Amino acid sequence: MKKELFKYLKSISLIEPYSVNRLLVSAFLILNNIQFTKNKLLKNYIISTKNELEYKQLQEVIKLIKSNNEFGLEELTQLFEFVISPEDKVVTGAIYTPKNIREYIIENSLAVNNNISKDFKIADIACGCGSFLIDSAKRIKQDNKISYFEIFKKHIHGLDIQEYSITRTKLLLTLLALLENEDCKEFEFNLFVGNTLSFNWAEKLEGFKGFDIIIGNPPYVCSRNISTESKDLLRNWSVCNSGHPDLYIPFFQIGLENLSDKGILGYITMNTFFKSINGRALRDYFQKNQFAIKIIDFGNNQIFQSKSTYTCICFISKTSSSFIQVAQSDNLLKNIKYHKINYASINAYKGWNLIQNTIIDKIEKTGIPFGNLYKTRNGIATLKNNIYIFDPIDEDNDYYYLQNGQTYKIEKGICRNIINPNKFTRIKTVSSIKRKIIFPYEYHEKRVSLLDENYVKENYPKAYKYLLDKRNILFTRDKGKGKYLNWYAYGRNQSLEKLKYKLFFPHIAQTSPNFIINNDEDLLFYNGLAVITNSNKELKFLKKLMASKLFWLYIKYSSKPYGSGYYSLSKNYIKNFGVYNFSEDEKDFIIKTENKTEVDLFIEKKYGIEFNNNI
C-alpha cells in the first residue's frame, strides 16, 4: 500500500508536505469514522467537497489505503515516514522504527526512571514524525491516568531538523488524543524545529535541569552525506574527533549531556561504533566516563526493512560502572541475557570485541597482530572511475578505443592494467577481470608523480582531449571542493606506487573468497584490498592462513556483518588477528599441503584451539 500510494502522489505531482498531510489526515478521519473535531490544528487539514480536485484525490487515496484493510495511527505514522522524499532521507537519515523496538526501549527506560512527577521530562532529540513520543505518551497516560493535554504540555519533548516532521508529530499526537475522546481546541506542545548539533534546550525550557529519559533512533547519515552546516557543527563534539564520523555518533554525547543526573538514554542505532575508526573517540568517551551501558547487539539481523544497516539497542545512564553489559539478540527481543565486560579488558583505540568468546581472546593474544606484520592496502581512488577506467571496444597498434558518450582514441602509452579484487568472491583469475585505466603519472625509481599538463597534451593528445571533454565531471569530485595537484589527477594518491608481491581479496566476502597472488608490479587495483609483502612465499602462506577455518571464525565474531553470511575484510577488522610464530618448515608444510582439513587442524593445534562445527 505504501509504494502504491507514493506512486500515486508522484503521478499527481504532489510531494509538498502540507498537501500530502491534508490527504492523509482527512483519509484517516474518514476511515476511522471521526465526524467532527474541535481542534484548530486538525481543522486546517480537513478536505471538504468544496474543492473538487482535492476531494477527488482524497477518494483515490482512500481507495488505495482501504486495500490494506487497516488504517490506525501506526499505519499513518508509517506513511508519514514513507512519503519523505528520497533526497531528504539521504540528508536527514529519517527511518521508521518498528513498534516492538520502540515499546521495548520505552518500557526498559521507564523501568529505570519511572517517577512521573510534575517535573518529569522525556525527549526524542531527533524525533522524525514522533513515533517514540506517541508511544511514550500512551504509556504515561496508561500508568498515571492523566490527560494528554497535561502530558503534551509538561512531559513530552521533541526536536527535529525538518519543520514538516514536527508538524506531523503534532498531528499524530493530536489524533492520538482524539482517538481516546480527548478533543481539545488547542494542545500545547514542546516540539521544536532545529539542528540537534547546536540546539540549546535551556533556552527553550524554563529551569531546565536535564531530561529524565532521552529515547529515539538517531539519524542514519553517513559522513559523505552530512550537510556542510552539520559538518562544521560536528567539531563541537569530542566524540567526533576520529575518522569521518557518521551523524549518529554525536547523538550519544548530546543525549548524555542533556540528561539529568539520574537520567537514562535509550537508543536504537548503528553498531559500527564498536570497531570503526570513526567510533574510536566515542569509545574513548564512554571508557573515560565509565558510563553504565547495556547493549543489545542484533549482529547481522537487519531490523529495518528499508535500510541495509546493522544495529544495536543502547541503554546508558550517567552512573559510574567498571563494566558494560552486552547481550546478543534477534529482532524478537526474547530471553535477553547480558554478560559483563570490564572496561579494563577492552581497548577504545583498537575497537571493542563484545562477543563473550574466549577463543577470540586467545587468537588475539597469540603471536603478533596481523597489522604489525603485514601492510594491507586499499586500491587506488580516482573518485570518478567511470572516467578513468574502461574496457576497450577495440584497439590497434597505438590506441585503445573507449566508448563514453562518443568513441575516443586513447594512447596505449598512458594506460595501465587494473583489476577490481571485489570480483574475487566468484572469479579466480586476474586475466578475466583486467581492465584499462588512464594513468597520468610517471615513476622515478620507487616514487610516483603526476605528469605535467603540457607533457600530457603534447605526448598523449588524444587522451588529453578526452580528459578535457570530461573536465566538468572531474570538477564535481569531493562536491567540487577537492584540492588536487591538477584537475586531471586522481582524487587520492593511495596505492599508485609499484607493488610487486600482492595478495588480492575482496572487501566483503563469505567463507571464503578467492585469495589471488600476483607479482606483476605494473598491475593496479581499485575497490578491493591487497596484502603487501616482500616475499612470494609469505603470500602463499598467508593465502592458506586467511582461508583457514580459524581465521574465518575470527572474522565471523570480530568483523562487521553485511547479511547473507558476508563480512568485512577491511584492515581495521583483520589487524588484531594474532599470527602464530610459525617456523619456516611449518610454513612450508601449510603451503604444500593440499588437504584443507589437514591444514585447518594443524593451524588450530598451533593456536591450542579446538572447536566443533557449531561454533
Side-chain angles (χ1 to χ4, degrees):
M1 181 261 289
K2 292 182 292 184
K3 291 181 179 178
E4 288 78 4
L5 179 61
F6 191 58
K7 185 177 179 181
Y8 172 71
L9 294 174
K10 287 178 67 178
S11 74
I12 59 174
S13 301
L14 194 62
I15 56 174
E16 185 268 319
Y18 175 70
S19 298
V20 172
N21 293 350
R22 279 172 60 83
L23 281 172
L24 295 183
V25 169
S26 292
F28 180 87
L29 293 172
I30 291 170
L31 290 169
N32 285 277
N33 297 312
I34 299 171
Q35 303 299 327
F36 178 76
T37 174
K38 295 185 292 184
N39 188 265
K40 288 168 60 178
L41 175 65
L42 290 181
K43 283 182 178 180
N44 290 326
Y45 291 87
I46 295 175
I47 295 172
S48 72
T49 55
K50 293 179 181 179
N51 187 323
E52 291 184 13
L53 175 61
E54 201 174 20
Y55 192 75
K56 181 180 178 183
Q57 291 171 346
L58 173 60
Q59 297 307 308
E60 288 296 322
V61 168
I62 289 173
K63 190 187 302 182
L64 286 168
I65 291 172
K66 272 185 174 180
S67 65
N68 197 50
N69 298 324
E70 187 175 352
F71 192 48
L73 204 62
E74 186 70 16
E75 288 73 30
L76 178 58
T77 305
Q78 287 188 53
L79 280 179
F80 273 149
E81 296 281 8
F82 191 80
V83 296
I84 295 173
S85 73
E87 293 80 9
D88 279 358
K89 286 182 181 179
V90 169
V91 177
T92 65
I95 187 170
Y96 167 79
T97 307
K99 186 175 181 63
N100 70 312
I101 300 291
R102 302 193 313 259
E103 291 179 341
Y104 186 88
I105 290 174
I106 292 165
E107 179 182 349
N108 283 270
S109 298
L110 285 169
V112 174
N113 198 337
N114 60 2
N115 179 24
I116 311 297
S117 64
K118 65 177 183 178
D119 297 322
F120 176 86
K121 291 179 173 60
I122 187 168
D124 184 343
I125 58 176
C127 67
C129 295
S131 57
F132 275 92
L133 299 180
I134 294 165
D135 290 340
S136 297
K138 289 166 68 176
R139 182 60 185 266
I140 291 170
K141 183 174 178 63
Q142 172 189 314
D143 293 348
N144 296 273
K145 310 302 181 187
I146 55 179
S147 69
Y148 280 119
F149 183 90
E150 184 177 349
I151 292 169
F152 299 161
K153 182 179 180 179
K154 296 181 178 179
H155 303 301
I156 297 292
H157 304 75
L159 172 66
D160 198 87
I161 199 167
Q162 294 289 355
E163 184 175 3
Y164 62 72
S165 291
I166 292 300
T167 298
R168 287 170 176 170
T169 301
K170 290 178 180 178
L171 289 168
L172 287 164
L173 288 171
T174 302
L175 289 169
L176 168 66
L178 186 59
L179 286 172
E180 298 189 28
N181 301 313
E182 194 172 326
D183 188 10
C184 287
K185 187 175 182 180
E186 190 169 5
F187 288 106
E188 294 180 41
F189 296 105
N190 290 296
L191 300 171
F192 305 98
V193 178
N195 191 323
T196 306
L197 299 175
S198 59
F199 193 81
N200 188 334
W201 285 98
E203 291 179 356
K204 299 293 183 180
L205 303 177
E206 185 177 349
F208 180 68
K209 296 180 181 179
F211 294 109
D212 298 281
I213 294 175
I214 292 179
I215 50 175
N217 185 358
Y220 292 75
V221 183
C222 66
S223 59
R224 67 178 177 274
N225 292 326
I226 297 175
S227 69
T228 302
E229 176 196 356
S230 291
K231 276 188 177 177
D232 291 339
L233 293 171
L234 291 179
R235 300 189 184 101
N236 297 330
W237 304 99
S238 65
V239 296
C240 296
N241 290 339
S242 59
H244 301 284
D246 297 330
L247 191 54
Y248 79 94
I249 284 178
F251 277 73
F252 283 102
Q253 185 177 359
I254 296 167
L256 286 162
E257 291 188 7
N258 281 287
L259 277 181
S260 63
D261 290 340
K262 295 182 180 180
I264 184 166
L265 179 150
Y267 284 163
I268 178 165
T269 189
M270 296 172 69
N271 62 15
T272 53
F273 75 87
F274 297 169
K275 296 168 188 173
S276 65
I277 292 174
N278 67 17
R280 187 177 287 160
L282 177 61
R283 296 189 296 270
D284 187 58
Y285 172 74
F286 287 148
Q287 290 192 229
K288 283 181 177 177
N289 287 283
Q290 299 276 287
F291 290 123
I293 303 176
K294 283 185 173 181
I295 296 173
I296 301 173
D297 183 21
F298 294 113
N300 60 3
N301 294 295
Q302 292 192 0
I303 301 302
F304 302 109
Q305 295 179 356
S306 61
K307 194 88 171 174
S308 180
T309 192
Y310 299 91
T311 54
C312 64
I313 290 176
C314 296
F315 296 107
I316 309 176
S317 64
K318 289 184 174 180
T319 54
S320 181
S321 175
S322 61
F323 57 85
I324 62 178
Q325 297 182 68
V326 182
Q328 309 294 316
S329 180
D330 57 19
N331 61 358
L332 297 177
L333 291 166
K334 300 290 186 181
N335 302 316
I336 301 299
K337 295 180 181 179
Y338 291 99
H339 64 271
K340 295 180 180 179
I341 297 179
N342 292 324
Y343 274 121
S345 69
I346 51 180
N347 188 300
Y349 186 84
K350 290 183 177 179
W352 286 357
N353 186 353
L354 302 182
I355 302 294
Q356 190 180 31
N357 195 316
T358 56
I359 291 179
I360 302 304
D361 292 338
K362 193 169 186 177
I363 291 172
E364 291 191 341
K365 291 174 182 177
T366 297
I368 300 172
F370 190 102
N372 292 359
L373 285 174
Y374 307 110
K375 294 178 181 178
T376 304
R377 295 289 186 88
N378 293 297
I380 66 166
T382 70
L383 303 191
K384 278 296 175 186
N385 286 346
N386 62 330
I387 300 297
Y388 294 95
I389 299 172
F390 66 99
D391 296 306
I393 60 172
D394 200 359
E395 66 176 288
D396 55 34
N397 289 336
D398 300 315
Y399 301 102
Y400 294 117
Y401 291 80
L402 179 160
Q403 184 70 41
N404 192 342
Q406 66 183 72
T407 301
Y408 292 90
K409 288 182 177 181
I410 306 294
E411 290 85 358
K412 287 187 173 180
I414 199 173
C415 295
R416 297 288 185 274
N417 288 324
I418 191 167
I419 64 166
N420 176 4
N422 282 346
K423 301 287 187 181
F424 290 137
T425 54
R426 301 177 306 276
I427 305 297
K428 295 184 178 181
T429 62
V430 165
S431 60
S432 62
I433 58 171
K434 272 186 185 178
R435 306 183 73 193
K436 302 297 177 184
I437 183 169
I438 298 172
F439 188 74
Y441 295 86
E442 61 181 342
Y443 294 108
H444 301 280
E445 295 181 354
K446 293 185 178 180
R447 296 175 58 195
V448 62
S449 60
L450 185 69
L451 291 171
D452 180 77
E453 185 170 356
N454 286 330
Y455 182 88
V456 176
K457 187 175 182 180
E458 292 173 9
N459 291 275
Y460 307 108
K462 303 296 185 184
Y464 183 79
K465 178 186 181 303
Y466 165 72
L467 291 172
L468 204 60
D469 282 357
K470 306 301 179 184
R471 185 172 182 166
N472 289 338
I473 298 175
L474 294 178
F475 278 141
T476 64
R477 292 178 293 177
D478 285 317
K479 297 183 178 179
K481 298 179 180 180
K483 296 180 180 179
Y484 314 121
L485 287 175
N486 212 328
W487 60 269
Y488 54 90
Y490 295 166
R492 306 286 183 266
N493 291 326
Q494 65 197 42
S495 299
L496 295 178
E497 69 272 32
K498 291 189 176 187
L499 305 168
K500 185 169 179 61
Y501 299 110
K502 304 175 287 289
L503 180 68
F504 290 125
F505 55 97
H507 257 294
I508 62 171
Q510 292 175 309
T511 309
S512 99
N514 296 307
F515 293 91
I516 306 298
I517 295 173
N518 184 270
N519 298 332
D520 178 1
E521 65 180 6
D522 291 321
L523 181 66
L524 300 169
F525 70 104
Y526 69 105
N527 286 346
L529 295 161
V531 174
I532 310 302
T533 73
N534 295 319
S535 162
N536 199 48
K537 176 183 175 180
E538 198 68 15
L539 291 185
K540 290 180 179 179
F541 158 71
L542 267 182
K543 180 176 181 177
K544 289 289 191 71
L545 181 64
M546 293 177 74
S548 70
K549 186 177 178 180
L550 186 79
F551 184 84
W552 280 91
L553 175 77
Y554 180 81
I555 292 298
K556 179 180 177 181
Y557 287 111
S558 301
S559 181
K560 178 181 177 180
Y562 281 91
S564 302
Y566 280 82
Y567 293 89
S568 173
L569 288 171
S570 69
K571 60 184 177 182
N572 197 48
Y573 298 120
I574 65 176
K575 66 182 181 181
N576 295 322
F577 177 83
V579 180
Y580 178 81
N581 186 23
F582 292 97
S583 69
E584 292 303 310
D585 287 343
E586 289 169 338
K587 288 182 180 180
D588 286 336
F589 172 80
I590 290 171
I591 292 168
K592 293 175 182 178
T593 302
E594 295 184 4
N595 186 305
K596 187 179 185 304
T597 301
E598 190 176 349
V599 173
D600 285 339
L601 291 172
F602 180 80
I603 291 172
E604 291 156 25
K605 186 176 181 181
K606 289 298 176 182
Y607 280 78
I609 290 172
E610 290 185 31
F611 51 85
N612 60 45
N613 292 328
N614 295 322
I615 290 183

